Amino acid sequence: MTTSAETTPPVDDRPKPPVVDERDIDAEAAQTDGPIDEASRDLLVEGVRTALDGRWRSTRDAVRENSDRADLLPDPSRTLAEARAHTLGVLKELSQQGFASAGFAADHGGTGDVGASITSIEMLGYADLSLMVKAGVQWGLWGGAIENLGTERHHEKYVKGTIDLDVLGCFAMTETGHGSNVQALETHATYDRDTQEFVVHSTTPSARKDYIGGAAEHARFAAVFAQLITGGPGEEATSQGVHCFVVPIRDEDGNDLPGVTTSDDGYKGGLAGVDNGRIMFDHVRIPADNLLNKYADVAADGTYHSPIENPNRRFFTMLGTLIRGRISVAATAGAAARKALTIATRYAMVRKQFEAPDGDDEIVILDYLGHQRKLLPLIAKSYAIAFAQNELTGELHDIGRVADDDSVAGRQRQLESDAAGLKAYATWHASHSVNVSREACGGAGYLDENQISIIRGDIDVFTTFEGDNTVMTQLVAKELLSSYADDVRGLSAGGWVRFIAGMARDVVAEKTAVRQVVQTLLESSDEDTDKSNLTDRATQIRLFRNREDHLVRTCAQRLRRATDDENDPFEVFNDAQDHLLKVGSARTERMVLESFVQAIDECDSRSAQQLLGKVCDLYVYSTLEADLSWFMMHRHISVERAKAIRRGVNDLCQELRPYASVLVDAFGIPEALLAAPMIENG
Amino acid sequence: MTTSAETTPPVDDRPKPPVVDERDIDAEAAQTDGPIDEASRDLLVEGVRTALDGRWRSTRDAVRENSDRADLLPDPSRTLAEARAHTLGVLKELSQQGFASAGFAADHGGTGDVGASITSIEMLGYADLSLMVKAGVQWGLWGGAIENLGTERHHEKYVKGTIDLDVLGCFAMTETGHGSNVQALETHATYDRDTQEFVVHSTTPSARKDYIGGAAEHARFAAVFAQLITGGPGEEATSQGVHCFVVPIRDEDGNDLPGVTTSDDGYKGGLAGVDNGRIMFDHVRIPADNLLNKYADVAADGTYHSPIENPNRRFFTMLGTLIRGRISVAATAGAAARKALTIATRYAMVRKQFEAPDGDDEIVILDYLGHQRKLLPLIAKSYAIAFAQNELTGELHDIGRVADDDSVAGRQRQLESDAAGLKAYATWHASHSVNVSREACGGAGYLDENQISIIRGDIDVFTTFEGDNTVMTQLVAKELLSSYADDVRGLSAGGWVRFIAGMARDVVAEKTAVRQVVQTLLESSDEDTDKSNLTDRATQIRLFRNREDHLVRTCAQRLRRATDDENDPFEVFNDAQDHLLKVGSARTERMVLESFVQAIDECDSRSAQQLLGKVCDLYVYSTLEADLSWFMMHRHISVERAKAIRRGVNDLCQELRPYASVLVDAFGIPEALLAAPMIENG
């Protein structure tokens, strides 16, 4: 191979070929040159897939078996009405198979396996993103609100019907005027002492519930987020903040109930099978019992009480229980990216264009460096994200099974921040990967029969729903900078800046314990990243950690300095917004890398471990390359090392090229769901 | 404003506020602070729009007037069949209005105004991209093939019918197996001496014509690109290369003619109004006269002759005449980006979220730095691209009006390269801008009623058709590196590397004359970019020029060095492919910047000129920021200057914020075509 250097560098940071351990029977499969025999290849695929499948691999296998059917794929010839009816039909089929039980506690009528629940919803993303969203709304959002915000009376009344679809619900949080700023919702639920009812009302046109999945057609019930207005005897009725209420919206024939006006969001950029719609409430009366009252309740006389004193903390505690939706969306985005990349990679291995060196035939396009550079770094990033996702799912599952004490509160808070960060990171990655995959397949990629164009339309809104990505990234940074302080959430931008300015101590990036595998790596390596080799995992981790620390520290200093000058706190915040967003993404990238390192460490197969090591290298090199200007600007990476990183990406692409099919096969996507005539046509 | 710096830089490269010339009556409108009064604002909008409209502003105004109708917008509720029929219906309406005449020479029945023709097709992009593509196929591609590759007999027979739609044609170049590599097409047109016919035949399944607009339903004729197989008396019949033939494919009732099998590409990622399809030929006989014979002909006895000896040069001469399609596609992509950005910007000026500093109301999202950073640099880049596009259109127009001599050949060659580069640059920009615009509008952006999601589906394939963007970018670089050498086109990658290695002299980046305005700027400035201020236009141009020169030089050196070592030429090429692609994009960016500078220089209104100067600064700063790692890695920009550039983008965004509405209004998009309920809803 010729060198990619424009000038010869003094240090060689290019990745080394993997060291083959002769005691390892799979070793030959992990060599990067030469052909791999079929048996070793199968072992390698299995080893990598096992690692990637994670703790809920049996769930994955079960969904794989049930979903290996081309009839599950979206059909663009359906009208909107047909697409919606079809999706509901498949949902009913899933329900009959017991698909939804895992998401609900055993004593509510489920099996109580949160990890399995998220994993199986993610797997639906390989079939049809509309189906995933429809399932996510019914069982994750509506069901999750009942499960996590409700109490026994709600569980008894709704859970069984929710599982078997006798009760079709929707999740009416977002309003036309408010999406990101949920605390400012304009729907009111005013307690009427005389009748012991709540009066649910859309107080302004912008209080209209909007984009609500299920609201256009199918949902009969809504979990409505509204300002709870009440006061005890002699008190003025005021808002106690946003709470969630069960509001019946349609009768059994699908007609709007009195006072409820639903309408249809109509055609969208994708997700044709989801009936998004709008709801206006005109003084709709519901029994007081319909308040989902796990965290707050209203006595008959109107007195409001809650075990959580602080209104902000109460609000965020309630929101926090809904984190499952955010994790599911991120997980599914990962699945969509993997599917598009699999189709594009397979096409690139059969599609030929322009003549090969010997002039007899043309060359497959994956042999071009330019094409490798389009797809392989995205495949590597998909691995990284999938491992991080598995960890988050596991953490959510585990938190739900331990006693509720202070340490759990800390873990929950950390999980919420991590989930926000990964949601943004994974959905941006998915959107980008699907775009690149479409373009990499040329005109064929634009035909719906080859699926990528459909995924492209469907995945687009994942960067928006369950939390706008920019807001999510900023949330990570704000949490980090304020050291997860208890009362900081819900503050305005200016208020938050004032809080930061008032913090006595220096902020440190890492609040949680350093995981053992990272600790061990760091201890056995040189702290000076300039001196250590870039192919060392510890150096890689240090670069990611140092970036995060540097950004957190300088951002905090900057906010403090600016407030010292008595500038307007909002302006201080706003001028630093790009810095803040960078804090958030650097934090998430470090978390993702460390999850990857952990997964490699835990991998049972030596050959899979070696291959994953290379994939991790490509993730690191291409991630550093994408942010090279920052690393150079802040002197974390020298000019020479920067050049070596660019070359390293090229080298790793060429090294991993022979493993491209192994890497996409190991995603384990059911073959029937990967149908694409262009791959047969070449 | 607080400083965005993490540390204070030694040099201040931040853009200065514009100097207001007191003699300038419009001056106050160009100040960046304080309100602009209505009259000054109107003048400013008009001044900027006049500059942006360019030479064919009267054409733009005429199309504006005719297209300010909401019924021209795509309607997602149409079935595929309805969408196609609707598009054809509007095309007929346009035809009756004389829309198509400008694209054809006066003595063929048109009015011969190429610039007006491209400009009016571009303007259709504001209404409906399907309509633009349908018009482009009929009048630009099919019509262009007849006009530019045919001779009198074809002009007489087809031009009038093409203009008034009695003759519906399609452009059958791409095959299932070959898109980018047109020289390897597998359709044959074999001359039959006995009957003086060509026999058109799809020799393999992959020879099937594919993705052809019009082939699924409407086209009755096809301009078919096929290997012309013939030999003179006593010669063996061989391929003379790819030529274009008129092949009737359907009868008046829309049935396939004997030997022709059309089929439908079906549902796509967008462009529902375009009936893309496939064509297979089974020994279809056409009269010899149907060869479009401007550049080559076959005598009755089968002897092939052409005024252009070299087969490669002949092929590329024929292709070169079809450049209009490529320019139209790039121009329309620019229009699509401007439309999406206009809608997103207007939404960002009414959409509020989270509380404002005073706590009474919420803040409009365009006041957030993060949101400004999403939209404003893309608006600036849209301006830059539009000015470059206007120049290319003008050059194509002018070349067609001067005598055909050697200097024209050089200009044509340069234009082809520039058009390839700008096609890639503009369509990638459009795709990206539409994605960003959708996300910037959140859930509302995903509803088709607000248009951006429809544009997103439609624009996607623009990066592919009329030349895959990666191939286009590479073409620019290859042309530059081989100094537009005559016989280099059509060489394999390896062959091209061998050519480069054999070139005696050093390659210089700029082959064409430096334009006067740039020359003047460069002469009056310091050659040392380190010492001169980054806000100086000359320094900006130098940085872009130096990058291009550096990349061209090092790429050539690298290719030569590698071939010296007797490596395989294809591998040498492939290892350098990322370097090569970077040459191409750096070249295009420099061209775009210089067009911008030219347009500012020619702008009549002082206030418009000042505002455009700021917009140009933002284009430069954000373009440098996006490639900062390269500039630092190659020591063209210091660490301090790099930091100043990041801050400069922030500062410019905040400075241009008050002009956001002026900048999008000056795009001059008909108001009826900007309908988006979310802007009313806020």
Side-chain angles (χ1 to χ4, degrees):
Chain A
M1 189 190 306
T2 58
T3 172
S4 313
E6 291 170 28
T7 56
T8 310
V11 286
D12 187 2
D13 270 335
R14 278 178 298 173
K16 309 289 178 290
V19 178
V20 178
D21 183 337
E22 300 201 352
R23 291 161 306 182
D24 182 355
I25 52 157
D26 296 338
E28 70 177 293
Q31 291 189 59
T32 52
D33 294 311
I36 317 168
D37 72 70
E38 189 103 9
S40 301
R41 185 187 183 284
D42 288 350
L43 273 174
L44 188 54
V45 169
E46 199 189 311
V48 175
R49 188 173 62 219
T50 302
L52 199 63
D53 277 356
R55 277 167 69 182
W56 281 275
R57 56 182 66 99
S58 64
T59 302
R60 291 189 193 274
D61 281 336
V63 181
R64 272 180 191 125
E65 200 169 318
N66 286 329
S67 65
D68 198 4
R69 294 161 35 189
D71 67 314
L72 290 177
L73 296 172
D75 176 352
S77 74
R78 291 190 187 111
T79 63
L80 204 56
E82 287 166 355
R84 290 170 174 184
H86 172 83
T87 308
L88 184 60
V90 180
L91 202 70
K92 285 182 176 153
E93 203 188 310
L94 290 178
S95 154
Q96 282 151 17
Q97 293 163 3
F99 187 91
S101 306
F104 299 88
D107 45 356
H108 305 162
T111 61
D113 187 341
V114 171
S117 167
I118 290 175
T119 303
S120 50
I121 282 190
E122 170 195 329
M123 296 290 289
L124 293 183
Y126 288 142
D128 181 351
L129 291 166
S130 285
L131 180 63
M132 176 272 159
V133 172
K134 194 81 180 162
V137 167
Q138 169 69 12
W139 294 316
L141 293 178
W142 155 258
I146 298 294
E147 176 83 0
N148 297 306
L149 300 178
T151 53
E152 202 177 336
R153 65 177 188 246
H154 306 108
H155 301 146
E156 275 175 13
K157 193 162 177 187
Y158 300 112
V159 170
K160 193 177 165 301
T162 296
I163 290 176
D164 62 21
L165 301 191
D166 288 337
V167 171
L168 284 170
C170 67
F171 185 79
M173 180 184 271
T174 299
E175 297 174 357
T176 303
H178 290 89
S180 295
N181 188 6
V182 176
Q183 285 184 290
L185 292 178
E186 296 172 288
T187 302
H188 283 188
T190 308
Y191 183 69
D192 180 347
R193 195 178 304 161
D194 298 337
T195 60
Q196 303 199 5
E197 292 172 318
F198 287 102
V199 182
V200 180
H201 185 61
S202 309
T203 57
T204 68
S206 60
R208 180 179 69 178
K209 296 294 177 183
D210 208 345
Y211 322 113
I212 311 299
E217 278 194 34
H218 298 145
R220 291 206 296 120
F221 295 86
V224 175
F225 288 79
Q227 305 288 346
L228 192 166
I229 316 272
T230 191
E235 290 172 13
E236 198 188 343
T238 56
S239 174
Q240 309 293 335
V242 169
H243 293 66
C244 186
F245 305 82
V246 173
V247 185
I249 57 170
R250 285 193 175 87
D251 64 22
E252 303 229 345
D253 299 327
N255 303 308
D256 288 349
L257 289 170
V260 174
T261 307
T262 63
S263 55
D264 200 319
D265 277 325
Y267 293 86
K268 306 187 299 287
L271 298 177
V274 184
D275 55 318
N276 293 82
R278 295 156 173 158
I279 317 173
M280 286 290 278
F281 299 101
D282 181 10
H283 300 93
V284 173
R285 289 182 166 268
I286 55 170
D289 273 3
N290 284 23
L291 168 64
L292 295 175
N293 61 334
K294 181 166 175 188
Y295 293 104
D297 214 341
V298 174
D301 66 1
T303 310
Y304 178 85
H305 54 90
S306 165
I308 307 172
E309 288 263 321
N310 180 310
N312 264 316
R313 199 181 313 166
R314 187 188 314 136
F315 172 74
F316 284 103
T317 301
M318 290 196 253
L319 275 198
T321 63
L322 305 171
I323 192 180
R324 200 190 296 189
R326 197 165 279 168
I327 292 180
S328 298
V329 158
T332 308
R338 293 192 294 275
K339 178 172 171 179
L341 288 166
T342 299
I343 293 173
T345 301
R346 288 184 174 184
Y347 182 63
M349 290 189 297
V350 298
R351 174 69 175 182
K352 295 177 177 177
Q353 208 75 176
F354 293 108
E355 62 263 57
D358 58 13
D360 280 348
D361 196 0
E362 290 175 287
I363 197 165
V364 297
I365 57 178
L366 195 56
D367 284 339
Y368 287 103
L369 175 64
H371 213 78
Q372 291 163 13
R373 263 193 166 264
K374 283 181 191 169
L375 298 178
L376 295 177
L378 294 176
I379 290 174
K381 190 169 176 180
S382 294
Y383 270 88
I385 286 172
F387 289 124
Q389 197 69 50
N390 285 349
E391 279 199 358
L392 285 200
T393 302
E395 177 70 357
L396 178 66
H397 181 90
D398 293 342
I399 286 180
R401 305 193 148 220
V402 292
D404 204 353
D405 62 12
D406 276 358
S407 84
V408 167
R411 281 171 68 184
Q412 168 77 19
R413 185 83 183 256
Q414 184 67 53
L415 177 64
E416 286 170 29
S417 169
D418 289 349
L422 193 59
K423 189 271 171 182
Y425 195 65
T427 57
W428 270 328
H429 166 68
S431 230
H432 179 62
S433 296
V434 177
N435 278 326
V436 169
S437 295
R438 202 298 296 158
E439 192 179 331
C441 297
Y446 199 55
L447 303 189
D448 283 354
E449 64 179 30
N450 294 313
Q451 297 204 58
I452 298 176
S453 51
I454 296 177
I455 301 172
R456 184 174 179 274
D458 290 344
I459 201 67
D460 182 25
V461 80
F462 279 60
T463 58
T464 296
F465 64 23
E466 289 288 331
D468 173 85
N469 277 6
T470 300
V471 176
M472 292 297 97
T473 306
Q474 190 166 289
L475 184 153
V476 173
K478 287 171 75 177
E479 285 285 84
L480 204 51
L481 276 159
S482 51
S483 301
Y484 304 88
D486 233 5
D487 298 326
V488 76
R489 297 202 282 191
L491 289 182
S492 70
W496 179 81
V497 165
R498 276 187 218 101
F499 178 90
I500 296 292
M503 277 175 72
R505 62 216 144 70
D506 259 1
V507 178
V508 287
E510 181 54 71
K511 297 304 297 174
T512 50
V514 179
R515 61 176 91 211
Q516 192 54 51
V517 54
V518 168
Q519 188 68 46
T520 308
L521 279 166
L522 293 179
E523 277 166 8
S524 63
S525 72
D526 196 332
E527 253 191 65
D528 183 348
T529 55
D530 283 345
K531 288 188 191 147
S532 57
N533 202 297
L534 188 54
T535 58
D536 289 344
R537 197 69 71 211
T539 308
Q540 299 174 351
I541 294 171
R542 261 188 229 286
L543 282 169
F544 279 53
R545 286 191 158 246
N546 292 349
R547 175 178 56 164
E548 179 185 347
D549 290 345
H550 183 123
L551 282 162
V552 169
R553 197 168 25 80
T554 52
C555 192
Q557 284 165 358
R558 174 176 168 183
L559 292 171
R560 284 204 206 128
R561 250 201 329 266
T563 42
D564 287 350
D565 299 340
E566 295 187 355
N567 292 301
D568 175 84
F570 175 79
E571 275 183 34
V572 170
F573 171 86
N574 204 30
D575 287 340
Q577 199 186 15
D578 61 327
H579 197 156
L580 207 56
L581 290 169
K582 200 153 172 56
V583 169
S585 54
R587 166 69 177 77
T588 300
E589 257 172 1
R590 195 263 300 167
M591 168 187 84
V592 168
L593 172 60
E594 293 184 2
S595 295
F596 202 155
V597 172
Q598 178 96 42
I600 294 173
D601 187 62
E602 289 169 1
C603 179
D604 289 331
S605 151
R606 287 289 294 277
S607 61
Q609 204 168 39
Q610 287 181 323
L611 181 58
L612 287 173
K614 279 283 149 196
V615 174
C616 187
D617 281 342
L618 180 55
Y619 171 65
V620 169
Y621 275 68
S622 52
T623 301
L624 293 176
E625 188 184 39
D627 200 23
L628 222 37
S629 64
W630 187 90
F631 282 100
M632 284 194 280
M633 220 184 290
H634 299 87
R635 305 189 197 275
H636 289 238
I637 283 181
S638 68
V639 163
E640 286 67 33
R641 176 159 274 182
K643 289 183 179 175
I645 288 169
R646 288 208 69 153
R647 287 193 305 276
V649 173
N650 287 357
D651 292 348
L652 284 162
C653 281
Q654 293 180 355
E655 274 182 59
L656 284 170
R657 162 67 185 89
Y659 294 93
S661 72
V662 168
L663 291 174
V664 298
D665 287 357
F667 288 152
I669 304 170
E671 283 300 323
L673 302 180
L674 290 168
M678 67 177 170
I679 295 174
E680 278 81 67
N681 294 338
Chain B
M1 187 190 307
T2 57
T3 171
S4 312
E6 292 169 28
T7 56
T8 309
V11 288
D12 187 2
D13 271 334
R14 278 179 299 174
K16 310 287 178 293
V19 179
V20 178
D21 184 336
E22 301 201 351
R23 291 162 306 183
D24 183 354
I25 51 157
D26 295 339
E28 70 178 293
Q31 289 190 62
T32 53
D33 293 310
I36 317 168
D37 73 70
E38 189 104 10
S40 302
R41 186 188 182 282
D42 289 350
L43 273 175
L44 187 56
V45 168
E46 197 189 314
V48 174
R49 189 173 61 220
T50 301
L52 198 64
D53 277 356
R55 275 169 69 182
W56 281 274
R57 56 182 66 100
S58 63
T59 302
R60 290 190 194 273
D61 281 336
V63 181
R64 272 180 192 126
E65 199 168 320
N66 286 329
S67 66
D68 198 4
R69 293 160 36 190
D71 67 315
L72 290 177
L73 296 173
D75 176 353
S77 74
R78 292 189 186 110
T79 64
L80 204 56
E82 287 166 357
R84 289 171 174 184
H86 171 82
T87 309
L88 184 60
V90 180
L91 203 69
K92 285 183 177 152
E93 203 188 311
L94 289 179
S95 155
Q96 281 152 16
Q97 293 164 1
F99 186 90
S101 306
F104 299 89
D107 46 355
H108 305 162
T111 61
D113 187 342
V114 171
S117 166
I118 291 175
T119 302
S120 50
I121 284 191
E122 170 196 329
M123 296 290 289
L124 293 183
Y126 288 140
D128 181 351
L129 291 166
S130 285
L131 180 63
M132 175 271 159
V133 171
K134 194 83 180 159
V137 166
Q138 169 68 13
W139 294 315
L141 293 177
W142 155 259
I146 298 294
E147 176 84 358
N148 297 306
L149 299 177
T151 53
E152 202 178 337
R153 64 178 188 246
H154 307 108
H155 301 146
E156 276 176 11
K157 194 162 176 187
Y158 300 112
V159 169
K160 192 177 166 301
T162 296
I163 290 175
D164 63 20
L165 300 191
D166 288 337
V167 171
L168 284 170
C170 67
F171 186 78
M173 180 184 271
T174 298
E175 297 175 356
T176 303
H178 291 89
S180 296
N181 188 4
V182 176
Q183 284 184 291
L185 292 178
E186 296 172 288
T187 302
H188 282 189
T190 308
Y191 183 68
D192 180 348
R193 193 177 306 160
D194 298 338
T195 60
Q196 301 198 8
E197 291 172 319
F198 286 102
V199 182
V200 179
H201 186 61
S202 309
T203 58
T204 68
S206 60
R208 180 179 68 178
K209 295 295 177 183
D210 209 345
Y211 322 113
I212 311 300
E217 280 194 33
H218 298 145
R220 290 206 297 119
F221 295 86
V224 175
F225 288 79
Q227 305 287 347
L228 191 167
I229 316 273
T230 192
E235 290 172 11
E236 199 187 342
T238 55
S239 174
Q240 310 291 337
V242 168
H243 293 66
C244 188
F245 304 82
V246 173
V247 185
I249 57 170
R250 286 193 176 87
D251 64 21
E252 302 227 347
D253 299 327
N255 303 307
D256 287 349
L257 290 170
V260 174
T261 307
T262 63
S263 55
D264 200 319
D265 277 325
Y267 294 87
K268 305 188 299 288
L271 297 178
V274 184
D275 55 319
N276 294 83
R278 296 156 172 158
I279 317 173
M280 286 290 279
F281 299 103
D282 182 8
H283 299 94
V284 173
R285 289 182 165 268
I286 54 170
D289 274 3
N290 285 23
L291 169 65
L292 295 176
N293 61 334
K294 180 165 177 188
Y295 293 104
D297 214 341
V298 174
D301 67 1
T303 309
Y304 177 86
H305 54 89
S306 165
I308 307 171
E309 287 264 320
N310 181 311
N312 264 316
R313 200 181 314 166
R314 187 190 313 137
F315 172 74
F316 284 103
T317 301
M318 290 195 253
L319 276 198
T321 62
L322 305 172
I323 192 180
R324 200 191 296 189
R326 198 165 278 166
I327 292 179
S328 298
V329 158
T332 307
R338 294 192 293 275
K339 178 171 169 180
L341 288 166
T342 299
I343 294 172
T345 301
R346 289 184 174 184
Y347 183 63
M349 290 188 298
V350 297
R351 173 71 173 179
K352 295 176 179 179
Q353 209 75 177
F354 293 109
E355 61 263 56
D358 59 13
D360 279 349
D361 196 1
E362 291 174 286
I363 196 165
V364 297
I365 57 178
L366 195 57
D367 284 339
Y368 287 104
L369 175 64
H371 213 78
Q372 292 162 11
R373 262 193 166 264
K374 283 182 192 171
L375 298 178
L376 296 177
L378 294 176
I379 290 174
K381 191 169 175 180
S382 293
Y383 270 88
I385 287 173
F387 289 124
Q389 196 68 51
N390 285 350
E391 279 199 357
L392 285 199
T393 301
E395 176 69 357
L396 178 67
H397 181 90
D398 293 341
I399 285 180
R401 304 193 150 220
V402 293
D404 203 354
D405 62 11
D406 277 358
S407 85
V408 166
R411 281 171 68 183
Q412 168 78 19
R413 186 82 181 257
Q414 184 68 53
L415 177 65
E416 287 172 28
S417 169
D418 290 349
L422 193 60
K423 188 269 171 183
Y425 194 66
T427 57
W428 270 328
H429 165 69
S431 229
H432 179 63
S433 296
V434 177
N435 278 325
V436 170
S437 296
R438 200 300 293 159
E439 193 179 329
C441 297
Y446 199 53
L447 303 189
D448 283 354
E449 65 179 30
N450 294 314
Q451 297 205 59
I452 298 177
S453 52
I454 296 178
I455 301 173
R456 185 175 178 272
D458 290 343
I459 201 66
D460 182 23
V461 80
F462 279 59
T463 59
T464 294
F465 62 23
E466 289 289 330
D468 172 86
N469 277 7
T470 301
V471 176
M472 291 298 97
T473 307
Q474 191 166 287
L475 185 151
V476 173
K478 287 171 75 177
E479 285 283 85
L480 202 52
L481 277 159
S482 51
S483 300
Y484 304 86
D486 231 6
D487 299 325
V488 76
R489 296 202 284 190
L491 289 182
S492 71
W496 179 80
V497 165
R498 278 189 217 101
F499 178 91
I500 295 293
M503 278 175 72
R505 64 218 144 68
D506 259 2
V507 178
V508 288
E510 181 54 71
K511 299 303 297 175
T512 50
V514 178
R515 62 176 91 210
Q516 192 54 51
V517 54
V518 169
Q519 189 66 46
T520 308
L521 279 166
L522 292 179
E523 276 165 9
S524 63
S525 72
D526 196 332
E527 252 190 66
D528 184 347
T529 54
D530 283 347
K531 288 188 192 145
S532 55
N533 203 299
L534 188 54
T535 58
D536 289 345
R537 196 70 72 213
T539 307
Q540 298 174 351
I541 294 172
R542 260 188 228 286
L543 282 169
F544 279 54
R545 287 193 156 244
N546 292 348
R547 174 177 57 163
E548 179 185 348
D549 290 345
H550 183 123
L551 282 163
V552 169
R553 196 167 27 79
T554 51
C555 193
Q557 283 166 358
R558 175 176 167 183
L559 292 170
R560 284 205 205 128
R561 250 203 329 266
T563 42
D564 288 349
D565 298 340
E566 297 187 355
N567 292 303
D568 175 84
F570 175 79
E571 276 183 33
V572 170
F573 171 87
N574 205 30
D575 288 339
Q577 200 186 11
D578 61 327
H579 197 155
L580 207 55
L581 290 169
K582 201 154 171 55
V583 170
S585 54
R587 166 70 177 78
T588 300
E589 257 170 1
R590 195 262 299 166
M591 169 187 86
V592 168
L593 172 60
E594 293 183 3
S595 296
F596 203 155
V597 172
Q598 178 96 43
I600 294 173
D601 186 62
E602 289 170 1
C603 179
D604 289 332
S605 150
R606 286 290 292 275
S607 62
Q609 203 168 38
Q610 287 182 322
L611 181 59
L612 287 172
K614 278 283 151 198
V615 174
C616 186
D617 281 343
L618 181 55
Y619 171 65
V620 169
Y621 274 68
S622 53
T623 301
L624 293 175
E625 186 184 41
D627 201 23
L628 220 38
S629 65
W630 187 90
F631 282 99
M632 292 165 79
M633 221 186 289
H634 299 88
R635 305 187 197 276
H636 289 236
I637 282 180
S638 68
V639 162
E640 286 67 33
R641 178 160 274 183
K643 289 183 180 177
I645 287 169
R646 288 209 69 154
R647 286 192 306 276
V649 173
N650 287 357
D651 292 348
L652 284 161
C653 281
Q654 293 181 355
E655 273 183 61
L656 284 170
R657 163 66 186 91
Y659 294 93
S661 72
V662 168
L663 291 174
V664 298
D665 287 356
F667 288 152
I669 304 171
E671 283 299 323
L673 303 180
L674 290 169
M678 66 177 171
I679 296 174
E680 279 82 65
N681 293 337

